[in-house]
Amino acid sequence: MRTKYIALSPIYSTDSNLINQATYNSDFKSLRCLKWSVPLNERENVIGVYGEDFFTNHVANQCGFQLSNIESDWLVNVPYEYLKRTINYEKLKDTSIKNSFIKPVDTKYFKAGIYKTKEEINGYNSLDKDQFVYTSTIVEWDCEIRTFIQDYSIETYSTYLKNGECLFNVNIPIDKDGFKKFTTAFLSDSNVKLPKAIVVDFGYIKNLGWAVIEANPVYSSGIYACDPEKVLEIIIKSCEN
């Protein structure tokens, strides 16, 4: 029986170490790619990957599998009742903001945040103006929750921010019943389209309630206080062989 590997980034991050440890009780073994490349004789045995964006895409191309992710404009197609704020999707050169939240869509070319104008972005003149960005009205988040989702079901979750401060905890700090009700409605709504494995972040907006923050690929998302063994299973699910 051949050994099945999950390829891990050469960067020994806390998260990749957790995934490495999770393989001890699984049917998989980890394979550290110290030269940012999978050895040729092992490529057919790699069935999953975890690490930084560029690394995961490189390994997927080498090993011949697809990475499951959302469309880049996914967030603007989420029904407003789950967003509770206005969000636009457009090229940086076309956007006109005034005291708005702005973030890059695909790659972190600049720091997401609140800007009076787009020209305030650090290094704006050197940025690719054809890259797509999300802009949204400003809201105040009380807490933010990371969820790992498989087949429209939350398998593990963790608080990661509370009032703007890092707080890694598996306990929902406020309105736990409301969180469950909201996420159940969101995940059962036929208008919400998700791949079979994805990370979705939810948050509680002060005076408005629970809302969707964004979605991220499983294979490059931080784990926080989520269950690493469940995350490992979902990572494998997100790599389509």
Side-chain angles (χ1 to χ4, degrees), residues 15-56:
D15 288 326
S16 70
N17 288 338
L18 287 172
I19 294 301
N20 178 48
Q21 293 170 16
T23 63
Y24 299 165
N25 297 318
S26 77
D27 295 329
F28 317 110
K29 290 186 177 181
S30 62
L31 178 65
R32 283 282 179 187
C33 300
L34 299 181
K35 295 183 178 180
W36 291 85
S37 181
V38 177
L40 189 61
N41 64 324
E42 295 291 5
R43 291 181 183 179
E44 65 177 15
N45 298 321
V46 173
I47 61 169
V49 62
Y50 182 77
E52 300 73 36
D53 287 332
F54 291 117
F55 170 78
T56 54

Side-chain angles (χ1 to χ4, degrees), residues 6-7 46-71 195-198 216-221 234-241:
I6 178 169
V46 173
I47 61 169
V49 62
Y50 182 77
E52 300 73 36
D53 287 332
F54 291 117
F55 170 78
T56 54
N57 282 288
H58 180 59
V59 169
N61 288 334
Q62 283 187 331
C63 300
F65 55 80
Q66 299 293 317
L67 297 174
S68 179
N69 198 5
I70 55 169
E71 296 295 328
K196 59 186 178 182
I198 196 69
N216 295 289
V218 176
Y219 42 82
S220 57
S221 291
I234 301 173
I235 290 172
I236 299 300
K237 188 84 169 182
S238 73
C239 300
E240 303 175 12
N241 294 273

Side-chain angles (χ1 to χ4, degrees), residues 198-214:
I198 196 69
V199 165
V200 178
D201 293 338
F202 299 94
Y204 192 91
I205 302 175
K206 291 184 178 180
N207 302 317
L208 290 177
W210 289 102
V212 173
I213 299 174
E214 63 181 1

Side-chain angles (χ1 to χ4, degrees), residues 95-112:
T95 190
S96 177
I97 65 169
K98 185 177 182 180
N99 293 329
S100 299
F101 178 84
I102 182 170
K103 66 166 290 182
V105 173
D106 293 320
T107 306
K108 297 178 180 178
Y109 290 106
F110 62 87
K111 184 178 180 180

